[in-house]
């Protein structure tokens, strides 16, 4: 009887909290220690109106500590609440929060988006994190116009302002900072290359921006891109791609997420054929050569060993002029196709012995990938840019947060 009464009381309390515009949220760290970890939860049961926002508080004993949070209307209009599980949260522990509807201003927008008319710049406290270029960028004068394109990320920065990407280098004019084309695509019985623009078989173009968001926790955008093939009958868009990019307000570096959603845009399938490179790629700053940068993967491989191996993460650290050392850590999600994904990198002999830094998560390096009409195919990556050095322990911790985030329960 007591147990039944307890259940009834808990149910009544829960109903009362919903009615009052207040919910209790429990975050479980799970198997891993956490530090300044991004957490989120769908919060659609709170009846959010135009004149209200969500205020979040951590319940510590009898005290409630204010916590910065941000509500984003995700695809389908689903409201998702994001915040940072600040400090250290030990494995196996829980933390409790209270979210309530309030009628106040949204507060400080630490994470902002600047639209230049040609691209979107994501900013943290006024510092540039990255730029998404939606306008067409022509190649240098005298170079075949086929090498121009739109829909790529450049520059991507370290926290101190070092530029860690490059576009249109003289050795590979089709390299565009951080970009996501495919090299061997079979469509309607014919083969096309959307990576090597000079072959004039296809390209990827930015189409539109669906959404831009900014606030105290993240800045980002949802963009749409067209994958086009060039044939005897003219151009045809065979795949529609969405990019969901979010830069997070955490200390110690620039952390941002990249999610690609691919689906065929006609009633025919698209077959991405196995090839040694394709997909999510990064051409690093031209300052980096074999003389001043190093690579390391989750499997303990160094630069001369990496190409063709698989890894959960990879980082590159290099000297940036007189500004010290900076780098980028790339994390692949375990639910990605063919995870842990094969890597294509340039070793120290690349580019005539210069050893420039190029990194590519290439899920189709060793197997085909068939994309069927009517279905959506997602690939997710998390990037952390930093000044100084990276180490395995920190890389593993960031990957654990990305791959197996804390469990969040709304009560």
């Amino acid at each position: 009887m007591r147990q039944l009464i307890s259940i009834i009381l808990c149910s009544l309390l829960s109903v009362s909290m919903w009615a009052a515009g207040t919910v209790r949220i429990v975050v479980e760290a799970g198997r891993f220690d956490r530090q300044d970890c991004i957490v989120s939860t769908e919060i659609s049961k709170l009846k959010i109106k135009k004149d209200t926002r969500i205020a979040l508080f951590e319940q510590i004993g009898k005290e409630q500590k204010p916590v910065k949070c941000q509500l984003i209307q995700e695809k389908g209009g689903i409201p998702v609440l994001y915040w940072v599980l600040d400090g250290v949260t030990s494995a196996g522990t829980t933390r409790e929060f209270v979210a309530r509807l309030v009628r106040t201003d949204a507060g400080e927008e630490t994470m902002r988006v600047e639209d230049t008319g040609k691209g979107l710049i994501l900013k943290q406290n006024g510092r540039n994190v990255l730029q998404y270029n939606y306008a067409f960028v022509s190649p240098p004068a005298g170079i075949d116009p086929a090498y121009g394109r739109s829909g790529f990320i450049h520059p991507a920065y370290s926290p101190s302002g070092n530029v860690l990407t490059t576009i249109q280098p003289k050795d590979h004019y089709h390299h565009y900072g951080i970009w996501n084309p495919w090299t061997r695509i079979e469509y309607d019985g014919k083969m096309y290359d959307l990576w090597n623009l000079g072959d004039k078989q296809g390209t990827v173009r930015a189409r539109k921006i669906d959404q831009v968001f900014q606030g105290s926790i993240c800045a980002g955008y949802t963009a749409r891109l067209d994958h086009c093939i060039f044939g005897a009958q003219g151009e045809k868009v065979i795949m529609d791609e969405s990019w969901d990019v979010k830069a997070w307000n955490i200390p110690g570096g620039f952390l941002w997420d990249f999610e690609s959603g691919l689906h065929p845009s006609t009633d025919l399938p698209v077959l991405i054929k196995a090839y040694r490179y394709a997909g999510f790629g990064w051409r690093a700053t031209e300052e980096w050569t074999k003389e001043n940068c190093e690579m390391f993967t989750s499997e303990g491989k160094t630069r001369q060993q990496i190409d063709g191996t698989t890894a959960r993460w990879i980082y590159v650290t290099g000297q940036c002029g007189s500004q010290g050392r900076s780098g980028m850590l790339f994390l692949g999600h375990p639910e990605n196709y063919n995870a842990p994904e094969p890597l294509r990198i340039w070793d120290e002999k690349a580019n005539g012995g210069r050893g420039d830094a190029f990194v590519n998560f290439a899920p189709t390096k060793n197997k085909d990938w068939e994309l069927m009409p009517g279905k959506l195919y997602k690939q997710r990556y998390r990037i952390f840019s930093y000044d100084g050095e990276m180490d395995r322990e920190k890389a593993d911790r960031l990957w654990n947060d990305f791959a197996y985030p804390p469990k969040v329960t709304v009560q």
Side-chain angles (χ1 to χ4, degrees), residues 128-168:
N128 293 350
V129 178
L130 63 89
Q131 177 171 318
Y132 171 68
N133 299 275
Y134 57 75
F136 183 83
V137 177
S138 297
I143 302 304
D144 190 333
Y147 283 105
R149 65 160 287 174
S150 58
F152 59 92
I153 292 171
H154 171 76
Y157 299 88
S158 79
S160 66
N162 289 325
V163 174
L164 303 180
T165 54
T166 193
I167 65 169
Q168 302 172 340

Side-chain angles (χ1 to χ4, degrees), residues 27-40 82-93 95 248 250-251 255-257 312-313 329 331-335 380-384 390 392-408:
V27 180
E28 302 174 52
R31 295 181 292 140
F32 308 106
D33 292 337
R34 313 290 184 172
Q35 183 176 339
D36 299 319
C37 178
I38 304 297
V39 289
S40 64
Y82 293 92
W83 70 100
V84 178
L85 199 63
D86 64 335
V88 175
T89 306
S90 299
T93 63
R95 292 168 69 170
W248 303 105
I250 67 159
L255 184 74
W256 51 279
D257 287 351
R312 295 175 290 117
W313 53 255
L329 166 70
L331 312 168
H333 198 276
E335 294 180 0
R380 295 173 58 194
Y381 304 93
R382 176 166 285 179
I383 297 88
F384 182 73
M390 178 56 60
R392 184 186 186 95
E393 181 180 0
K394 184 170 185 176
D396 279 337
R397 176 176 60 77
L398 288 168
W399 189 83
N400 290 335
D401 289 348
F402 179 50
Y404 304 110
K407 180 180 178 181
V408 182

